[in-house]
Amino acid sequence: MYMLKRVQYIDDIVLDKIVKLHTPRRNKVMTFITRMGNMGIVWFAMCMPFLIYRPWRSIGVNFLVGLVIAHLAGEICIKHIVCRMRPCHKLEDDELIVKRPRYYSFPSGHTTASFSVVAVAWMRCWPVAIPVTILAFLIGFSRVYLRVHYLTDVVAGAVLGLFCGFLSVELLRAMF
């Protein structure tokens, strides 16, 4: 129990420090970045050319399988086991930058999805890996910046996402 309180204490300190970075312009940029990760929109859009162009199709399928595994593991299973309250639920409505999400906080679904794509990109399509990784980090940071996740939610989402992406690659290698 002491360890969980210590983690929460550190999470709260990080949020307090990040709040000091808020400006109207940064708020708009971070809102835009986080919306790119809503429902994996940017990642599904990125998959389209891979799925359309026959030589890249297996990579596109790999991205999709990684996203599905990430969603099932993070959103369907872990969030409902951990049931962690989001930091934005401690805020007044006038302090919110984005609409208050309804579901649990741990792990960050945006980050989990993003890093599942990162793992597949590094393993199967390294030319897109650097921009994908940068965008994934920005999406994860935006979740903490907007106070809808704690740092540990985002870190756990990144680790889970990497695992799901690696698992996706290994599953498809084993099947084909």
Side-chain angles (χ1 to χ4, degrees):
M1 195 60 139
Y2 171 77
M3 182 59 110
L4 290 177
K5 285 183 181 183
R6 184 79 177 140
V7 168
Q8 185 64 57
Y9 175 75
I10 293 168
D11 274 340
D12 290 338
I13 288 173
V14 169
L15 280 177
D16 289 342
K17 298 243 184 252
I18 289 176
V19 165
K20 293 176 182 166
L21 299 174
H22 285 201
T23 66
R25 177 179 234 148
R26 283 188 195 122
N27 293 354
K28 287 180 182 174
V29 169
M30 288 295 137
T31 300
F32 174 76
I33 290 169
T34 214
R35 284 189 179 139
M36 289 173 67
N38 286 357
M39 298 185 328
I41 292 170
V42 70
W43 306 124
F44 286 113
M46 188 193 86
C47 287
M48 288 305 129
F50 287 93
L51 293 170
I52 292 168
Y53 186 59
R54 189 173 195 80
W56 298 347
R57 193 165 292 151
S58 68
I59 298 169
V61 169
N62 231 153
F63 285 130
L64 291 176
V65 170
L67 286 164
V68 168
I69 294 169
H71 180 74
L72 292 172
E75 296 294 313
I76 306 299
C77 295
I78 297 172
K79 276 195 186 206
H80 296 284
I81 292 168
V82 176
C83 300
R84 186 178 195 189
M85 184 173 68
R86 292 178 181 269
C88 62
H89 291 286
K90 299 176 183 176
L91 302 173
E92 299 296 325
D93 287 343
D94 63 335
E95 295 178 276
L96 295 172
I97 299 170
V98 293
K99 186 179 171 190
R100 193 182 314 266
R102 294 182 290 167
Y103 303 108
Y104 298 117
S105 183
F106 184 91
S108 165
H110 283 67
T111 310
T112 303
S114 298
F115 278 87
S116 73
V117 173
V118 166
V120 173
W122 280 105
M123 293 180 76
R124 299 276 327 268
C125 188
W126 62 267
V128 300
I130 290 174
V132 164
T133 302
I134 291 168
L135 182 56
F137 272 105
L138 287 171
I139 289 172
F141 178 76
S142 75
R143 304 305 285 166
V144 178
Y145 180 93
L146 296 169
R147 297 188 287 183
V148 292
H149 282 291
Y150 294 104
L151 177 62
T152 51
D153 300 338
V154 170
V155 171
V159 171
L160 178 62
L162 289 171
F163 175 77
C164 293
F166 291 134
L167 180 62
S168 164
V169 170
E170 292 307 316
L171 282 173
L172 288 178
R173 278 186 186 157
M175 291 172 65
F176 299 104

